[in-house]
Amino acid sequence: MKSVLKLSLSLLLRTVLVCMLSFMAVITLGMIASSNGEINPVVAVIFGLIYLFMLLYFFTYTSWVEGGRDNNRVAIGQATEMLYKGYLSAAIVVIPIIAIFVISYVFMDVQNSVMGVLNILKLIFVWAGIYLTVPLTGGISTTTVDTEGADPTLALYMTLILCAVYIIAAVCSGVGYVFGYKKISFIPKLTDKIMGKNPSEKK
């Protein structure tokens, strides 16, 4: 269980990193906004896809590396085989985040200290998929803490999008772990393809 929680911590830290990078990109997005200050939905979606890719890459690669290490540990008897470890570790991170989004939506009109804490947590993790919601909202202000009085339909769509982002990340974590455990080296091949490297050039 200790190794599961260790992988969960690694995934959580990478999630926070992506959210921080996404948050800092608001300045860039604002600089290329239209003259009336509105964010171009197409540009926002492009930003959203970039940070979605980063999140999925981190979840996949982190679990892939851990799967490869566990294969060696199992081979020498230091650990037992647990092919679902990637899914379990991701679930420990993702389920509470999704719960925050869902509770925030269900009780959007409730104002108390508990909801205040949940909304602060929501403000942290919403950035992994916040730009993907811009075509619905026309901006990013309504997808942060202040949801009181928001359109219930838009709030539902935003919640579904944000939950989907983390569910996909969890699935990628599980698949990445299995591939790493089975020594399927698709990550280096994908990286080389993106970077334009020719495998024949490697020594």
Side-chain angles (χ1 to χ4, degrees):
M1 189 62 183
K2 182 178 179 180
S3 63
V4 173
L5 294 177
K6 183 178 179 180
L7 178 55
S8 294
L9 179 60
S10 296
L11 295 176
L12 177 61
L13 292 176
R14 283 155 179 77
T15 300
V16 173
L17 173 61
V18 172
C19 290
M20 288 177 59
L21 293 173
S22 178
F23 173 74
M24 290 187 291
V26 172
I27 298 176
T28 303
L29 197 61
M31 291 174 63
I32 57 179
S34 60
S35 57
N36 59 2
E38 293 183 357
I39 298 174
N40 187 317
V42 176
V43 176
V45 169
I46 292 174
F47 271 67
L49 292 176
I50 290 173
Y51 289 105
L52 174 60
F53 174 80
M54 288 177 59
L55 182 69
L56 300 186
Y57 178 82
F58 280 140
F59 267 63
T60 304
Y61 183 74
T62 302
S63 296
W64 180 73
V65 171
E66 183 68 11
R69 291 173 178 170
D70 280 354
N71 180 286
N72 297 329
R73 295 187 187 111
V74 171
I76 62 177
Q78 288 186 346
T80 56
E81 186 177 83
M82 189 186 298
L83 290 178
Y84 58 88
K85 180 178 177 180
Y87 293 106
L88 179 58
S89 295
I92 292 174
V93 174
V94 168
I95 290 178
I97 294 175
I98 291 177
I100 290 171
F101 293 150
V102 173
I103 293 173
S104 178
Y105 165 72
V106 174
F107 300 100
M108 66 170 63
D109 293 324
V110 177
Q111 298 296 316
N112 55 39
S113 57
V114 174
M115 290 304 300
V117 172
L118 289 178
N119 282 330
I120 292 175
L121 293 174
K122 176 187 175 184
L123 180 59
I124 296 173
F125 294 108
V126 75
W127 290 96
I130 195 170
Y131 299 119
L132 297 175
T133 68
V134 170
L136 294 174
T137 64
I140 61 175
S141 61
T142 56
T143 60
T144 53
V145 171
D146 187 14
T147 56
E148 184 178 8
D151 186 317
T153 302
L154 289 180
L156 175 60
Y157 288 153
M158 289 186 294
T159 301
L160 292 176
I161 291 173
L162 294 170
C163 290
V165 165
Y166 283 101
I167 290 173
I168 294 172
V171 172
C172 287
S173 173
V175 173
Y177 181 86
V178 173
F179 276 36
Y181 188 86
K182 294 183 178 295
K183 303 295 184 179
I184 301 175
S185 303
F186 73 100
I187 294 290
K189 293 178 181 178
L190 177 62
T191 303
D192 289 343
K193 187 174 182 180
I194 293 174
M195 299 298 293
K197 295 182 179 179
N198 190 335
S200 62
E201 297 176 355
K202 293 183 178 180
K203 295 182 180 180

